[in-house]
Amino acid sequence: MGCQVSVCIICCNEKQVITTCLDSVAWCSDIVVVDSGSTDGTFEAAAAHPTTPRIIHQQWLGYAAQRDFAIQQCLNDWVLALDADEECSPQLAKQISALNETSNSDVAMFSMPRRNYIARRYVRCWSPDYQTRLLHKNRMTIAGNFVPEKRVAMPGFHIVKLTGPLLHNRLTAFQPSDFNDGPRMQEHAELLAQSLAGKGQKANLLNLIFRPALTFLKYYILRGGFLQGRFGLVIAYKTTIGVMLKYSVLYGKQEFEHATHRKPPE
């Protein structure tokens, strides 16, 4: 028996990309769009789409909690969880359609390679990054409100890799908030710092100095960012700044915690 699959999409102000995302999952009969307050016409674009998705309004709960809410609204146990700026490639759709529940009865999740694009340009040093997005609701849990969401297979179940790619298409060009402490980047840094703290990591001097430097070397040299010229250089800068921010936020949290245990000056 084939796996019955639902699709859930979380979005907010994604009018530019929601139609393409829905087009890519037209093979699915149960599509849920969870919107957290769009004002740009995303709701209207989704409502007018031929796939007739169910659209649910839900105030933003945080990355993991919002995704979990969307998953729970789906009718089927198997759920493909997408962001609005992602697409299910034809190869991935074919693999999902061919899955058999009997032969995958001990599988909790499927992961797949994600190909990343910015302004329709392929980001070599970010791709592929594997994402666990095809999930069985009753065989996994989402641990914590982290970025990225941490999904854990329940005992007795495991994760299997698919080869069909997920496509991540950010249509906008670079923005100032990509390189400074804009609200969205700050939220990411806060959640990433929380994730690091949960793993027992510290923002010591070595991490504050060498993590950003090693990140730049990894993405610009080892993962081939230099092969894309100035574009690859900017991507490496952006990634490095993100690492600097999360360790800076982690350091701030540590200092605040230490300050609460310090004696006040006499």
Side-chain angles (χ1 to χ4, degrees), residues 3-9 25 27-33 54 70-82 88 96 133-137:
C3 296
Q4 298 297 310
V5 178
S6 295
V7 171
C8 71
I9 302 165
V25 292
W27 47 268
C28 180
S29 60
D30 179 45
I31 302 174
V32 176
V33 174
R54 289 185 287 128
I71 290 170
Q72 297 309 318
Q73 309 313 306
C74 294
L75 300 178
N76 297 307
D77 289 334
W78 282 105
V79 179
L80 178 63
L82 300 177
C88 177
I96 292 173
R133 294 296 188 83
L134 182 57
L135 323 160
H136 193 289
K137 289 193 290 187

Side-chain angles (χ1 to χ4, degrees), residues 149-167:
E149 307 100 284
K150 183 180 179 182
R151 301 180 182 88
V152 180
M154 291 183 175
F157 298 98
H158 63 283
I159 301 172
V160 173
K161 281 187 177 182
L162 299 175
T163 57
L166 188 66
L167 308 178

Side-chain angles (χ1 to χ4, degrees), residues 2-204:
C3 296
Q4 298 297 310
V5 178
S6 295
V7 171
C8 71
I9 302 165
I10 57 174
C11 63
C12 183
N13 292 331
E14 300 282 7
K15 182 182 178 181
Q16 281 188 307
V17 291
I18 189 67
T19 298
T20 307
C21 179
L22 288 168
D23 286 344
S24 75
V25 292
W27 47 268
C28 180
S29 60
D30 179 45
I31 302 174
V32 176
V33 174
V34 176
D35 184 273
S36 54
S38 294
T39 57
D40 69 341
T42 299
F43 174 87
E44 292 78 7
H49 196 271
T51 55
T52 61
R54 289 185 287 128
I55 305 174
I56 300 170
H57 292 283
Q58 172 60 54
Q59 288 187 334
W60 185 244
L61 302 171
Y63 287 93
Q66 191 81 355
R67 181 91 70 193
D68 188 47
F69 173 84
I71 290 170
Q72 297 309 318
Q73 309 313 306
C74 294
L75 300 178
N76 297 307
D77 289 334
W78 282 105
V79 179
L80 178 63
L82 300 177
D83 292 335
D85 59 356
E86 294 175 332
E87 300 169 34
C88 177
S89 69
Q91 302 97 308
L92 180 58
K94 184 177 180 180
Q95 285 186 319
I96 292 173
S97 298
L99 292 176
N100 184 284
E101 175 60 34
T102 303
S103 59
N104 292 293
S105 59
D106 60 347
V107 177
M109 296 173 277
F110 290 91
S111 66
M112 63 283 298
R114 184 172 67 172
R115 294 174 60 87
N116 296 282
Y117 298 82
I118 291 182
R120 302 190 185 280
R121 187 166 182 179
Y122 179 60
V123 184
R124 179 189 178 97
C125 64
W126 282 354
S127 306
D129 62 323
Y130 274 82
Q131 300 289 318
T132 307
R133 294 296 188 83
L134 182 57
L135 323 160
H136 193 289
K137 289 193 290 187
N138 302 319
R139 299 175 186 171
M140 66 90 203
T141 58
I142 297 179
N145 199 20
F146 302 140
V147 176
E149 307 100 284
K150 183 180 179 182
R151 301 180 182 88
V152 180
M154 291 183 175
F157 298 98
H158 63 283
I159 301 172
V160 173
K161 281 187 177 182
L162 299 175
T163 57
L166 188 66
L167 308 178
H168 182 209
N169 297 298
R170 173 176 153 176
L171 295 182
T172 56
F174 291 115
Q175 302 166 358
S177 60
D178 288 322
F179 303 97
N180 61 35
D181 199 6
R184 187 171 181 179
M185 199 167 191
Q186 181 175 347
E187 183 181 5
H188 272 264
E190 288 277 354
L191 291 172
L192 287 167
Q194 180 184 343
S195 179
L196 290 174
K199 297 174 183 176
Q201 293 196 33
K202 301 292 184 182
N204 54 39

Side-chain angles (χ1 to χ4, degrees), residues 240-266:
T240 301
I241 289 169
V243 172
M244 291 172 64
L245 272 176
K246 73 178 180 182
Y247 277 99
S248 297
V249 171
L250 180 60
Y251 172 75
K253 290 180 180 296
Q254 290 172 192
E255 281 297 295
F256 179 78
E257 185 177 342
H258 293 158
T260 59
H261 295 92
R262 291 187 188 125
K263 292 182 179 179
E266 297 179 358

